[in-house]
Structures are given as structure tokens and as C-alpha cells.
Amino acid sequence: MIHFVLLISRQGKVRLTKWYSPYTQKERTKVIRELSGVILTRGPKLCNFVEWRGYKVVYKRYASLYFCMCIDQEDNELEVLEIIHHFVEILDRYFGSVCELDLIFNFHKAYYILDEILIAGELQETSKKIVARLIAAQDSLVETAKEEASSISNIIAQATK
Amino acid sequence: MATSSIMESLFQRSLDDLIKAIRLQMIGESNFISKSLEEIRKELKSTDPQTKSTALEKLIYLNSLYSIDMSFASFHVVEVMSSSKFSHKRIGYLAASQSFHENTDVLLLITNQLRKDLNSSNEFEVSLALECLSIIATHDLSRDLTPEIFTLLSSSKLFVKKKAIGVILRIFNKYPDSVKVAFKRLVENLEGGFDQPVMSAVVGVFCELTAKDPKSYLPLAPEFYRILVDSKNNWVLIKVLKIFSKLGLLEPRLAKKIVDPICEHMRRTTAKSLLFECIRTVVTCLTDYETAVKLAVEKIRELLIDEDSNLKYLGLKALSILGSKQLWTVVENKEAVIKSLSDADPNIRHQSLHLVMAMVSEDNVTDISRVLLNYALKSDPQFCNEILGSILSTCSKNDYEVIVDFDWYVSLLGEMSRNPHCQKGVEIEQQLVDIGQRVKEVRRELVRVARDLLIDPALLGNPFLHRILSAAAWVSGEYVEFLKNPLELIEALLQPRTNLLPPLIRAVYIHSVFKVLVFCLHLFFVRKHVTSSSLDGLAQGMYDLDAEREFPEGPSLVRRECSSASFDCEQDEEFKPIIQNITGEELTIENGGENLVAFEQVSLSTSFAKDPSNHESIVGLIDLIKTALSPLSGSDEVEVQDRARNVLGLIELIQRETDGWLIQMEDSFKGGKVKALKMIEILHGAFSVKIGPVLRTSQERVPVPEGIILNDNLADLDSICGDILSPPTSAFSMGNRLFGENYGNSSLDLQKKEESEPSTESTSLLAEHRKRHGLYYLSAEKTEGMSNDYPPPNDLQSTVDIGDGTQDLLKITDQSLSSKRKPKHSKPRPVVVKLDERDEKPVSSVKPLKDSEHDQLSGAVRNILLGEEDTSASSLTKPSDKSTGKRRVKELSSKSESRPEDKLGDAAPEVGGSSSFRRSKHRSRGKEREKSPKNNDENKEGNSQKDKRKSHQHSRNRTRHRADLPLNVVAQTPVIPDFLL
């Protein structure tokens, strides 16, 4: 299974962390520090796998972002690479040629998308179309709620003028 | 109030604001964060849900990206989760899944909220709850929500169903009893097999379950087989292959069955991930099938020569799995492997190094090591040490199994030490000493290598080499008789740059000087004056010896005396003869008479390049030593000071005895010098006893010296140790209460024994033994292992019960030792292992957690299986007891220990799935299916009564079917493969 997902920028800034196995806050910080040290220093043409504490970390760089997933020894590295790619493609479709800034300002959306792709550290949805549809449906739920909220506050704001 | 909340929400910083503001902070980011954290704290307390959720969203941002602890907000998270608005709820759930963990106390509060959301009509709310549960589920939550999950497992919405399946794994792990309820539905989903996402989720769950406990899932093999053959979905196929690579190891017939489809996939697929999974399955569990292996090797070769470094890496990996069983596959790909040794990627290099080392055998060890060593010179420090490490560990495996030519190996070690990046000092040191002790023939070469290392002043500057130098110094002192030029060596040992060495190693240097000096003096005396007077002296000595033979302390004392000796002159007269005789005796005993003679001849006949027995050179030597060591006799380091004084003391002694004759260059030899000669002979004799390797158990073989009276029991000690013992007793009082008298007593016994040990006479033996060997043992490993190497003496004479206790202790230490060692041997990459060990410590809390979960799961399942009929389960849902039965059977097959017969009976009827029965039932009730295969192993015992009982619980009509089954069952115990047909 996938133990955690990390998105790290080339400068070592964390852009997303998702933990499917229990790690305390301290461990999380340590893991991030350790792994970004290992991964960011690796050259461009090297293989995408790193052995780490008895686990394997599969990473791939897209533009300025490193997508990393930590898996068990027996897991299939290539499959995880495909999952990463799958995730990136969905992000890309959702944001329309996604860039790091999109993920910074919509970090919660990145989480919601990831939640539609993985559950409990396993891949749950292989169809990009379905994921896109699900996310859109949930967004529309949120949007309507927001509109209501903003309209009310607008009204009150005008009233208090 | 209302206005205030409006104001709050109007003036609240939004998430965007926060992110922008953080991005603007060039410096003082942490300041800004703590300031916004203050704001967030305030906003969280707001009554306005909008404000609250926005604050929470900001907090999640800070938490996940800046690792800010957000546990303080957990109650607010619950509040937001329970909001009726989806947008808020979503934030609340996100926060929960990011920040909650086992010990979060508010988890108790969310059970009802989760239940409500799981039952919600809005599928997205259900999905939120499921997502969250998949991460934060605890035992209690799992227990309370199992019914909801169970319902969702057959939800009509695929979207919900697949998530429920994903969650079930976590639920099983946390609350194993849920298996009884939900397992059957899970299997139904597996059999349903129409919807890809559901199928993929189910297979994913089984893949994880199988990884932990493959045996239980053997009965499901037919389903998996069907998927393997039918499915076109690579994601699913990969998971199924993983399952088979576990199952195939357990059931050879299954392996036979899957070979063909797997080969088919391997040939056909274009997806590398699937291809690789096929290869991995073949190399892990299908190595007996030549065609499959051949095909896999062919594919591996393609991977190896691929441009893509990922594929190359995986190819090497697959090869190394295969290599442990079928070495020819590695040899066949030798070129590719060696080529990737120079790859830019350290991971690939590491793998190929590992493979290269796997190819090492007696015949090629020389060539491979040569090549690797040259290669190490050119590579970066880290990899260089990796290479050196693997050479060292491969060559030393099983007491240097692969080494035939030790002269070559020793010079290889010397060469390694000269590698500028070498950091393997400890290993090389250990091996130099070890080889010296174990392999007599190599000592000459060893001394030569050691000399070369010692006389090179450049090496002293590299702290990583100090340990090696220490070994070299020890070797050249210990085997001084092979030295071509002792004078040169002493110069090397005393060269000014030795002050760069750490004190302990310096002490070894000085002690080696001592040995060499004794050797030279001895040679000098013996050569010049093998006079009758000295012989007389010897003869005289022999006499005394016989008289003193019963001297209880034994030879070991001599060694100690001589080596640590700062011989007091007064002592000489009395002591010398004794020592001498014992030494002589020991020599004859240990080396055999001939050896002694041979040795004398060697030392006498060896002609030195620079004659060390020449008068001038001796004088020069003594001068040199005096000059070099005098300053050290005041050293702050006790070891150094001690050793230096020993040497100086000896010199002074000799000079006094010879009345300054040595210095005056007088060439006459007077009677008075006999004493000096004797003294030197004693010392020389002591040093020429060679120290051999010591077995861990050797202490047990040391006979109890006569004259030592060991009490049969240690009751006497009670009075002595009473005081010491009392505190432990009180400490154990708790144990007594909890575990009963026996436990308490035994622990007390142990305690007693440990306490009493120091006062037994046998400890003196132990101490001697230690001193005798420990003094010369340089390697850290040995000293470290000291406590294990010298277990408490296990005297047969002492009382049985105590002996037993010791035995137990010994066993325990042995076990712990062997368990520690095993991984080293079984894992062919010791260097890596070491790194792992070191690195792993910090995370250890994570790993054990997983293990314990697993134990819990299988343990609980076992309990279910063996325990009484669980009525509570059936009360939950009707189907539950069916699955219980199924599950039980399954478990039975895996865990065979104590199982009450009656329960077994329960299982038996279900077991009885003969294939015909299965087929017929197949259509009508899919559920039955899994049950039938399971029984395989254990259906023999009386099933008929069970039948009835079981059937009562189930629906009537099934009973009839079952009644006739048992017969079949008994006939064909292992059923699985048949189903495959």
C-alpha cells in the first residue's frame, strides 16, 4: 500500500502531504526533511526509486514539483509511477495545465482530488473522467453553499452601510 | 452577537490572503505564521460557522505545509465536521483526516457524526465519512461502525461501494471481529466482477490481506485465477499477480496452474508495469518452471539493456531475487550487470554490486576483487566504501569460505587500506587479526603487509586507518619471528607521527615494541651465548617446575604476568623458575614438542638483513626506544604511560643485570648475565605462545582447576547477599501478585544467581581468561561481544537448578545472538543492512505498530475460530454466521495449534465442497463458494454431528446438501487445484 504522498517543490518546500499510515507530527517532519534531502539531490536521469528505511519511495518530477509516494517492498514501482502520472493528469485536467501556484492556492482541492484517486493507500479510481465528474459535482455543492453565504453577507453588509 | 460574527467574517483573512501574505514574507516567515496562528485560534472560537471553517482551512494549510501542530483545534474540527453545510463539512473532514490519530481524545465524540454521515442520502457526505474513516479508524470506531460499512458494501452506488471496500481493510485490521460480518460481502464483490473500480478495490484489499497471511486466502484461488485469465485491466492484473506470488509459494499445484497464463501475459503485454510484475511473480514463486524462468530472464535482459534507468534498476532487482536461487541467470547477464556498475545512478550501482558479489566463488574471487578494487579507486567515496564493504563481507563469509590463497587476500586487505576513501577500518582490523589467529600459514605474509602499513608515515594522518594500523601493530608484535627487519619495525612503531594516534592504539604500538624488543634481546643473548651456563639454568628450572606443577593458577597467569609485567627485581628470584617452567610446559602442550623445537630453529636460523643480534644494533635499538618512550612515561593517558613504563622498566632491568655491559660494548660475557638471559627467555617464551581464536562457548570447556571447592548450592550466599537481594524482592512483589508464586520465585532465583556469581571462585577463572585474551584483542567487535563470549561459567558441579538457570540464560543469549546474525547472512548486502539498522531506529514506532495490528487481526480471527459460537455476530446480521464458519475453516487451515474438536466439526460441513457440489451451487448462491474450498486440510475429524449443528444455524434447505458432503471431503483433502479446472 501507499504509506504517504508528498509533493515537494524543487526548493524543498512542501506542497502537499497525505499520510495513510500513522505518523506523529514529529515523524512527519523528520520524514519530509530526510526524503527531500535524498530526492532533491538526485540527478535528472537517474531512476525514480529510492530505497528508504525498508520501504521504497517512488518519485517523479513534473515541472518544479516532485511527486513522491512511499510504498512497501513488494509493491510495484512502475504501477506507482503510473498512479503518480494519473494524479498529475487529473490535476492538469482540473486546473487546466496545472502549475505549482495552482496547487499552492488550491491546496485543499488537491487533497479532494487525491481523495478520489486513493483511499486507504490504494488506488480506487482509474478513470480520469469519473474523477473529474465527481470533483465537479462536489464543487458545485460547495459553490451553491458559498453563493448563499456571500449573498447574505452582501445583504447585511449593504444594510449596515 | 450576530453583528459581531458578521464583522468577524468580513474582516477575516481568507485562505488566499493567508497564502499570499506568507509568500510575501521574505524573512520572518515563522513570525508571521505564529501571528496568524493566534488569529486562527481566535477565529476558531467564533460562533459563525463560516468564520470557523475558514479558520480551520487556514490551519490545515499551515499544518500540512509547515508542519504546525493542530491538535489544539481538534474539538473545533469536530464542530466543523458536524456542520450541515457540505462545504464546511468537507473542511472538517479534511482536517480530521490530516490531524487525528489513535490518541486524539475527541475521537470518542465523532462516532455518531460518522454514523449519521455514513447513512446520509448525499453520497458525497458518505464518501467524506468513508475517506476519513479509512485514515482515522480506531478499534472503537471500527467496532461501532461495522454495520454501516457492511451495508455500504452492497450499496447500489458504485462510487460509495468502492470506497467502502477500501475502508474495510482498515476496519479488519482495527477490529478483527468485523471479519465475521463483512468478509462474505467482500468476497461477493470479488465474484461479482462486473465493475472495474469495484473489482480493483476488492483485489487491492485482498492483495494487502494476502501479503500478511497468505494461507487463509488459498481457497479463493479459483476466483483470482479467473481474474488472472479474464481481466484486461492492468491495475487489477498486477494486484492479482501479487496475490499469486504469495499463494504460489504455498501451493505448488497452484503454481503449475498459473505458469501458463502468466507467461501469456508476459509475452503479450506492452505495459512495463505488468510485465515487471509477471517477472517478479516468476522469480519469486515459479523458479521451478524452466520455460517461465527462461522467458523471464529474456525479458529481464531486455530491461537491463533498456535506456530507461527505471527499467534497468528493476531488471537488476529481479535478477537479484532470481540469483539467490539460480545463479546461472546472473552469470548469463554478467556483462550488463558489470556495465551498470558504472552507471550514474547510485541505486543502480548498488544493485549491480550486490549482484556481482553474488557471483563470487572460489574460482573468481581473485579476479572480481581485483576488478572491483580498481574500480573503487575511481568511484566516489560512498560507493567506494560500499564496494570495499561488500568485498570484505563476501570474502569473510563463513570463515573465509571462498578464500583459497590467503597470502593474496591479506595483501588485498593491505591494498584496501591504502585506498584514500577507505573507511572500513574496523572491518579490516578485525579481519587482519582474525586471519592472523586462524591461518598459520599466512602469518609471514601478514607480517609483511603489516610492516608496509606501519612504516608508511602518510597513513598515520588518516583517522579511518588507525584501527587498521592498530591491527598491523599487533600482528607485527605477535608474529615478530617472521619479521625480516625488527629494527626497522621498531623505528616505524616509534616514529614521531604516532602521536596522531588515539591513546589506546598508541598503547598497542608500544606494546608491540615491547614484544619486538624482547624478541631481539632474546635472539641476541641466545645467539652469542648458548652457553652451558644458560642450559644449566634451564635444567635447574625444570626441576623446580615439577615441584610446582600443581600451582593452581595455571598457564594463563603467566601470560598475564609477563605481558603486564613491570617486573620488580625482587620478585625475580622466586618467581622466574616457576614461570619459566610453566611456560615451557604450556608450549609443549599447546604446540606439541616438535613445534617448540621448530620454532627455536626458525628464530635461530633466520638470517636477518640487518643483523639485529649484533651488539651495536641492540645498543642502538635500546637507545632509540629510550629516547622515544621516556617522554611518554609521563603521559596523561594511563594506557600509554603504563606500556611505556613497562618497556623502559625492562630495559632498565636488563641493563642493571648486565652491569651496564650492554652500553659499554664489552664483548665478554660474565656469569652475572645469566640472570638477564633467563629473564628474557621467560618473557620470550611467554610471548611466543600464540593466541588463537576463541569460541564463544570455550569458557565452558575450561576444566575446573583442582583445589577449587564449589559449593553444591549457594545457600550460604543468602546471608551474604541478603542485603543486596532485598530491594529486588520488593521490586518483584508486583510480579508475585500478578503472576503467582512460581513466577516470583523463578525470577528471584535468577536474581540470586546473578548476584552470587561475583563471589564464586570460578569468577577468578573467568577474570583470568578475560585478561589473558582480552588484553590482546583489539577488535571492537570482540570486546563488545565480551559479555556474550564469556557467559557465566557453567559448572557442572554446581547444583542442577542453578545450572538450569544459567543454561536458560545462555540459550537466551544464544538465541538473541543468532537472531541478530541471521539477517546478516541471509541478506547478501551487509553494508546496506547496517545503514538500515541505523536509520530505522527512529521510525521503529511505526513499524511495530503495523505488526501488532496484524497480530491482533490474526489473533482475533483465531479466537473467533476457536472460541464459542459468537452470538453477537449473528445478531448483527444474518449472513454473519455463515462467514464466520467460512472464516473459521480458513483460519483452521493456517493455524493448527490447539483447536477444540467440536468447533472444528462446525467447520467441517462447509468444508466439504467437492467440486461437483460447488458447481451446482455456484449459480444459486455465490456465498457458499468460498466456504467450500477452505476446508481442505482439516476436515478429517468427525464432522457429521457438526453438520447438523451448523445447518441449524443456516437455512434448512442447505442442510440436505451438506449432509452428503463429508465423505467426499475426506477423500480429497487438498481441493484447491481441482477448482481451477
Side-chain angles (χ1 to χ4, degrees), chain B residues 5-6 56 68 99 140-141 226 232 247 277 280 374 426 460 666 786 791 836 918 947 977:
Chain B
S5 72
I6 291 165
L56 193 57
I68 303 295
S99 67
D140 289 350
L141 279 178
R226 190 173 53 76
K232 298 271 178 292
L247 298 184
E277 201 54 51
R280 180 145 51 189
N374 286 335
V426 180
L460 285 163
E666 215 177 278
M786 200 67 99
D836 282 353
R918 280 202 70 230
D947 263 3

Side-chain angles (χ1 to χ4, degrees), chain A residues 27 48-49 51 53 74 115, chain B residues 131 310 317 347 843 845:
Chain A
E27 283 167 345
N48 297 94
F49 319 124
E51 308 235 345
R53 294 186 186 178
E74 303 90 39
D115 279 348
Chain B
E131 288 284 354
N310 285 341
K317 220 130 193 200
N347 292 352
V843 226
S845 53

